[in-house]
């Protein structure tokens, strides 16, 4: 099984949202990282064949996905970034409706709906109308609908948005287990989620993949460049202006900064074990990453 | 089939759709029919300026009107007309605003006996015309019809072949005409014929959002990524919209028919439509006219529903779809008189723009050099419109987005 992205480009008027990106995805979890406007959502919509690329194509097992039509959508699960729903439907009604749209026979759909409701902790909520749900509850329904047809290609745009820490862990485990023989692509702003489950990470900036590799490979890129320094609180702001600061905490009258720098930033700087967060910030600086 | 059932249920569970259907029933059946029978149209009047001052006694008055008409005989001849004129004057001029057939008698007099009109008085002809002068009813009618067709030919509205076609159609109208109280049927057929236009805003509101709402609610990407979320969903949604249209029609037409049976009964179904409009050329009786009006309205609603759903699939804005859908029906009316006649005629072909009362007129369309009597064309046009709209709407919804 292979999902190939071949020189995929999307321009909206004069603005290039996705700029000639290529990749070959096989079974596993792929994390897509990037600031707002980096092109992640546009790329995902093209992967789902709901947005027409300006150039390039997406191929599934060698065939152009858009041309496959129903056959491609049959193996696809998609959670859009702003997950739309029907407020007057209950969870069970909504999932049954989406199951019908996915061509799942009614007798199988009922079992699958129950299974996903259990998996995503929605048992207590199954009979409630969606309009009464919080953002996190609705997000879980969105994830359930994406997984209804047991898709070979699961594309999740910001699946962790609105989930509490416990639900995030539950979803991470679920996706990691699910991705055994399937392709899961997820985008998120929460680097630790990608770090926890992604086999491969793509960092996007200005519509391009600026870096990609395993979490370990990306972290290794910043090996020897991550430091912890302790400075007086009054100097913390000056340090933030001079250097990429990955984190900042107070210890009494002192500020402890985790910084990324090519050279040891001060005499007292202590080298640290790099993380994906550090690699992400290193790729295009704190200001761009947090934009 | 499962998708269709789900879509159909989904459409009906929308509050806006249910409110539309309920309001449509109130407006077209309770207000626009039952209250007309009992109060606004058929209730007795004290010559007040407004129908809202009528008495709430339509059911009894209809029986009175029927009895008055029955006294005039069961065929329409000059003798019947004389009797109508005499009765009207003997009853002390009960007024032409009532639904007795006096107003028909006045129509016959003005259309068939214009030479008896006294230009020096403002009174209706029925007040002063001499019954002895009311002769040769059918001969007069033939002359009046020929005069009208000739005038329309000279104005360029009809060709000589059209006139011959219409006269041939008229030759099949049997004489003498059967006569019974006709105002009830005239109302039933006439108001049913215009029902399609009354339902238009409700249909537009219910269906303008069937596709466009998905963009507003953010569900469109979800649906587009589902296996059957494009062509099959679009088809299921269009057919559920058509089923809704048929149900709305059944609700409204059924309600009106029931009211008609209660208030008017069935007698009078076989009087020719010429009794209510002496220059009509269609050789039809009232039941046939009502059947035509039913088919006309139903076809119009189906064609219109398809157009509305096409607009809904075309754009992402439901409000824009709604405004355009309403414009289809009402803009041709607003522009009447400002457009070239051929443009106006073309716009009138659109579903629900005209009422089924076109059967009383002598309008002819020219298709590939052949004259077609307007009602035949207008009742057929919604079919190709619907057939064209369905694949276009499916295509619009199904295609990949460019932006």
């Amino acid at each position: 099984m292979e999902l190939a992205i071949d020189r995929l480009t999307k321009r909206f008027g004069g603005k290039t949202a996705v700029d000639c990106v290529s990749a070959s995805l096989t079974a596993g979890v792929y994390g897509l990282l990037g600031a707002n406007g980096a092109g992640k959502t546009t790329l995902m919509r093209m992967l789902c064949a709901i947005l027409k690329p300006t150039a390039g194509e997406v191929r599934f097992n060698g065939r152009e996905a858009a041309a496959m039509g129903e056959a491609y959508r049959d193996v696809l699960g998609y959670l859009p970034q702003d997950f739309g729903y029907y407020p007057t439907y209950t969870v069970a009604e909504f999932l049954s409706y989406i199951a019908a749209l996915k061509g799942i026979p009614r007798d199988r759909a009922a079992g699958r709906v129950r299974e996903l409701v259990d998996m995503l902790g929605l048992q207590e909520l199954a009979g409630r109308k969606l309009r009464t749900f919080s953002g996190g509850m609705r997000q879980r329904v969105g994830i359930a609908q994406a997984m209804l047809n047991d898709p070979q290609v699961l594309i999740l745009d910001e699946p962790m948005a609105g989930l509490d820490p416990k639900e995030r862990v539950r979803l991470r485990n679920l996706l990691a287990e699910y991705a055994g023989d399937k392709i899961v692509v997820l985008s998120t702003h929460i680097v630790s989620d990608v770090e926890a489950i992604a086999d491969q990470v793509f960092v996007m900036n200005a519509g391009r993949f600026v870096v990609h590799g395993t979490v370990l490979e990306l972290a290794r890129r910043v090996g020897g460049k991550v430091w912890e320094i302790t400075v007086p609180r009054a100097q913390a702001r000056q340090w933030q202006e001079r250097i990429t600061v990955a984190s900042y905490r107070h210890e009494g009258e002192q500020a402890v900064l985790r910084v990324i720098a090519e050279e040891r930033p001060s005499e007292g700087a202590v080298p640290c074990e790099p993380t994906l967060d550090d690699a992400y910030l290193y790729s295009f600086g704190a200001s761009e990453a947090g934009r | 089939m499962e998708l269709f059932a789900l879509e159909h249920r989904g459409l009906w569970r929308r509050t806006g759709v249910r409110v539309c259907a309920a309001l449509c029933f109130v407006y077209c059946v309770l207000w626009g029919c039952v209250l007309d029978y009992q109060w606004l149209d058929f209730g007795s009047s004290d010559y007040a300026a407004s129908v809202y001052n009528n008495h709430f006694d339509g059911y009894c008055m209809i029986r009175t009107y029927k009895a008055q008409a029955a006294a005039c005989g069961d065929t329409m001849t000059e003798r019947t007309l004389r009797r109508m004129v005499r009765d009207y004057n003997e009853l002390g001029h009960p007024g032409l605003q009532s639904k007795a057939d006096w107003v028909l008698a006045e129509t016959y007099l003005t259309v068939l006996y214009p030479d008896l009109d006294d230009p020096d008085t403002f009174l209706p002809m029925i007040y002063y015309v001499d019954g002895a002068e009311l002769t040769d009813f059918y001969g007069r009618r033939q002359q009046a019809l020929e005069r009208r067709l000739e005038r329309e030919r000279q104005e360029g509205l009809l060709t000589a072949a059209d006139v011959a076609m219409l006269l041939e159609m008229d030759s099949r109208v049997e004489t003498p005409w059967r006569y019974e109280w006709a105002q009830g049927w005239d109302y039933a057929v006439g108001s049913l014929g215009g029902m399609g236009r009354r339902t238009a805003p409700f249909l537009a509101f219910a269906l303008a959002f069937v596709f466009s709402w998905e963009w507003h609610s953010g569900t469109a990407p979800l649906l587009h990524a589902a296996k059957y979320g494009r062509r099959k969903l679009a088809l299921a949604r269009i057919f559920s919209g058509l089923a809704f249209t048929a149900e709305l029609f059944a609700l409204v037409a059924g309600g009106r028919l029931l009211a008609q049976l209660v208030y008017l009964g069935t007698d009078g179904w076989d009087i020719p439509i010429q009794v209510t409009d002496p220059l009509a050329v269609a050789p039809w009786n009232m039941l046939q006219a009502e059947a035509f009006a039913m088919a006309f309205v139903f076809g119009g609603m189906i064609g219109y529903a398809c157009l509305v759903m096409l607009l809904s699939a075309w754009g992402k804005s439901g409000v824009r779809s709604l405004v355009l859908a309403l414009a289809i029906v009402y803009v041709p009316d607003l522009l009447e008189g400002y457009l070239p006649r051929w443009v106006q005629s073309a716009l009138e072909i659109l579903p629900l723009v005209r009422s089924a009362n076109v059967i009383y007129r002598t309008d002819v369309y020219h298709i590939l050099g052949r004259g077609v009597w307007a009602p035949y064309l207008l009742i057929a046009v919604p079919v190709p419109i619907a057939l064209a709209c369905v694949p276009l709407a499916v295509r619009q919804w199904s295609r990949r987005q460019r932006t």
Side-chain angles (χ1 to χ4, degrees):
Chain A
M1 184 173 54
E2 187 206 21
L3 187 68
I5 303 168
D6 186 8
R7 289 165 291 174
L8 211 53
T9 302
K10 182 68 192 178
R11 290 190 202 96
F12 297 107
K15 185 183 183 317
T16 303
V18 173
D19 190 5
C20 199
V21 299
S22 297
S24 171
L25 315 183
T26 54
V29 180
Y30 297 85
L32 210 50
L33 284 176
N36 292 334
K40 304 187 297 291
T41 296
T42 304
L43 173 62
M44 289 188 141
R45 290 174 66 201
M46 287 192 287
L47 289 183
C48 293
I50 58 176
L51 183 66
K52 195 180 170 96
T54 310
E57 62 182 20
V58 176
R59 286 190 304 272
F60 180 68
N61 289 341
R63 293 176 62 199
E64 195 197 345
M68 286 172 71
E70 281 183 7
Y72 179 61
R73 297 197 298 276
D74 195 24
V75 298
L76 180 72
Y78 176 48
L79 172 70
Q81 184 178 25
D82 299 311
F83 163 61
Y85 59 95
Y86 300 124
T88 58
Y89 281 55
T90 65
V91 174
E93 285 168 341
F94 182 73
L95 291 180
S96 301
Y97 174 68
I98 299 293
L101 277 182
K102 289 182 176 233
I104 304 169
R106 206 185 305 184
D107 50 344
R108 258 187 46 213
R112 183 68 180 149
V113 167
R114 268 196 304 276
E115 194 181 328
L116 283 165
V117 162
D118 288 347
M119 268 182 357
L120 287 153
L122 294 164
Q123 304 94 316
E124 306 288 312
L125 309 171
R128 266 176 58 184
K129 289 200 190 313
L130 291 174
R131 66 169 168 232
T132 65
F133 279 27
S134 68
M137 292 170 182
R138 279 201 289 268
Q139 194 71 354
R140 280 186 276 156
V141 177
I143 293 157
Q145 66 77 29
M147 297 174 77
L148 267 172
N149 54 333
D150 203 14
Q152 292 179 53
V153 179
L154 180 62
I155 294 174
L156 307 170
D157 199 350
E158 303 282 359
M160 311 294 184
L163 297 185
D164 61 37
K166 193 174 135 205
E167 292 302 335
R168 275 171 50 205
V169 171
R170 187 210 290 258
L171 180 61
R172 283 190 331 213
N173 294 341
L174 180 69
L175 293 179
E177 188 185 332
Y178 185 80
D181 57 348
K182 297 182 178 76
I183 298 168
V184 177
V185 182
L186 64 96
S187 75
T188 178
H189 284 112
I190 306 167
V191 179
S192 61
D193 288 329
V194 173
E195 191 169 28
I197 55 167
D199 301 311
Q200 290 272 329
V201 179
F202 291 87
V203 180
M204 277 191 92
N205 188 30
R208 288 176 169 271
F209 291 153
V210 286
V211 194
H212 70 93
T214 63
V215 173
L216 204 61
E217 284 166 353
L218 295 188
R220 216 175 273 154
R221 284 166 48 93
V222 280
K225 297 183 175 88
V226 184
W227 315 86
E228 198 168 85
I229 55 174
T230 304
V231 297
R233 282 171 100 168
Q235 290 178 20
R237 180 165 292 278
Q238 290 161 22
W239 279 96
Q240 285 180 80
E241 283 164 6
R242 276 173 43 202
I243 204 164
T244 303
V245 176
S247 71
Y248 173 169
R249 69 174 195 277
H250 296 296
E251 273 183 11
E253 286 307 305
Q254 300 289 304
V256 181
L257 309 179
R258 183 184 176 90
V259 300
I260 300 160
E262 296 288 342
E263 307 291 335
R264 181 187 287 264
S266 69
E267 281 302 309
V270 181
C272 299
E273 198 63 30
T275 64
L276 186 60
D277 248 332
D278 302 323
Y280 178 69
L281 289 173
Y282 180 70
S283 295
F284 39 96
S287 58
E288 279 194 62
R291 192 171 55 197
Chain B
M1 197 60 200
E2 188 193 356
L3 258 189
F4 167 77
L6 286 168
E7 289 299 332
H8 185 239
R9 204 183 320 149
L11 184 62
W12 269 109
R13 69 188 291 165
R14 278 167 49 189
T15 311
V17 170
R18 280 186 289 190
V19 168
C20 271
L23 286 178
C24 187
F25 183 79
V26 169
Y27 179 55
C28 295
V29 180
L30 300 183
W31 177 260
C33 182
V34 174
L35 282 183
D36 279 352
Y37 280 127
Q38 185 64 25
W39 179 32
L40 300 169
D41 263 49
F42 292 88
S44 59
S45 159
D46 293 331
Y47 304 102
S50 167
V51 291
Y52 296 106
N53 291 324
N54 281 2
H55 296 289
F56 213 69
D57 57 359
Y59 186 83
C60 299
M61 290 307 296
I62 284 169
R63 267 96 203 127
T64 308
Y65 302 144
K66 281 185 173 182
Q68 283 171 348
C72 296
D74 61 359
T75 53
M76 175 55 72
T77 62
E78 48 274 0
R79 251 193 10 225
T80 322
L81 186 54
R82 275 187 219 127
R83 174 72 190 257
M84 285 172 150
V85 172
R86 196 190 72 197
D87 286 355
Y88 182 77
N89 287 290
E90 282 179 358
L91 287 169
H93 310 117
L96 293 176
Q97 69 270 44
S98 84
K99 283 289 179 180
D101 277 350
W102 317 125
V103 71
L104 286 186
E106 177 65 15
T107 305
Y108 298 147
L109 294 174
T110 53
V111 173
L112 308 185
Y113 300 94
D115 48 310
L116 302 182
D117 185 21
D118 179 359
D120 295 330
T121 176
F122 62 90
L123 289 169
M125 285 177 76
I126 196 170
Y127 274 74
Y128 59 80
V129 81
D130 178 5
E133 291 183 279
L134 301 177
T135 56
D136 190 21
F137 182 84
Y138 290 103
R140 290 270 192 159
R141 189 252 172 190
Q142 190 64 26
Q143 288 166 14
L145 176 62
E146 286 172 6
R147 269 200 310 274
R148 173 172 157 179
L149 295 178
E150 179 55 24
R151 194 181 60 241
E152 289 180 353
R153 191 187 68 77
Q154 285 174 1
E155 287 171 0
L157 303 176
L158 297 174
T159 64
D162 298 336
V163 171
M165 177 187 74
L166 293 167
L167 287 174
E168 190 281 324
M169 193 186 288
D170 181 65
S171 69
R172 285 182 271 138
V173 177
E174 289 179 11
T175 52
W177 303 335
R178 235 186 71 63
Y179 175 69
E180 278 188 45
W181 177 64
Q183 287 283 285
W185 275 97
D186 186 42
Y187 169 82
V189 173
S191 68
L192 178 68
M195 191 186 81
R197 287 174 64 82
R198 290 182 172 200
T199 61
F202 303 102
L203 263 183
F205 193 82
L207 299 178
F209 297 91
V210 288
F211 290 109
S212 48
W213 184 258
E214 305 297 349
W215 297 105
H216 178 79
S217 66
T219 38
L222 199 71
L223 303 181
H224 272 145
K227 182 182 181 185
Y228 295 150
R230 298 195 189 182
R231 196 173 160 273
K232 283 183 179 147
L233 171 69
L235 278 172
R237 202 158 273 194
I238 288 168
F239 282 110
S240 70
L242 293 180
F244 167 79
T245 307
E247 286 152 1
L248 191 68
F249 171 80
L251 185 74
V252 174
R256 294 182 69 95
L257 272 183
L258 189 65
Q260 184 185 336
L261 283 173
V262 169
Y263 280 94
L264 304 180
T266 55
D267 41 337
W269 65 269
D270 54 347
I271 56 176
I273 60 170
Q274 282 74 18
V275 170
T276 56
D277 184 340
L279 298 189
V281 294
W284 292 349
N285 62 34
M286 286 298 183
L287 186 63
Q288 287 171 311
E290 187 164 42
F292 175 86
M294 285 266 186
F296 185 93
V297 169
F298 181 64
M301 285 172 71
I302 291 288
Y304 183 66
C306 287
L307 276 173
V308 176
M309 288 189 281
L310 173 60
L311 290 171
S312 182
W314 209 287
K316 293 181 179 178
S317 161
V319 175
R320 194 178 62 179
S321 308
L322 178 63
V323 170
L324 288 174
L326 293 174
I328 288 174
V329 178
Y330 298 110
V331 167
D333 269 2
L334 294 174
L335 296 181
E336 196 173 8
Y338 299 101
L339 296 171
R341 193 180 145 66
W342 69 269
V343 178
Q344 188 68 32
S345 299
L347 287 175
E348 286 175 352
I349 290 176
L350 291 169
L352 302 188
V353 172
R354 293 191 75 170
S355 89
N357 298 337
V358 70
I359 59 168
Y360 294 107
R361 297 178 57 171
T362 49
D363 298 3
V364 173
Y365 282 92
H366 295 97
I367 311 289
L368 302 172
R370 240 187 102 116
V372 181
W373 186 45
Y376 291 151
L377 180 73
L378 294 179
I379 201 170
V381 157
V383 177
I385 284 180
L387 290 177
C389 285
V390 171
L392 282 175
V394 170
R395 188 170 166 273
Q396 277 303 120
W397 172 254
S398 306
R399 70 178 188 175
R400 282 190 294 166
Q401 297 304 308
R402 289 174 186 276
T403 57

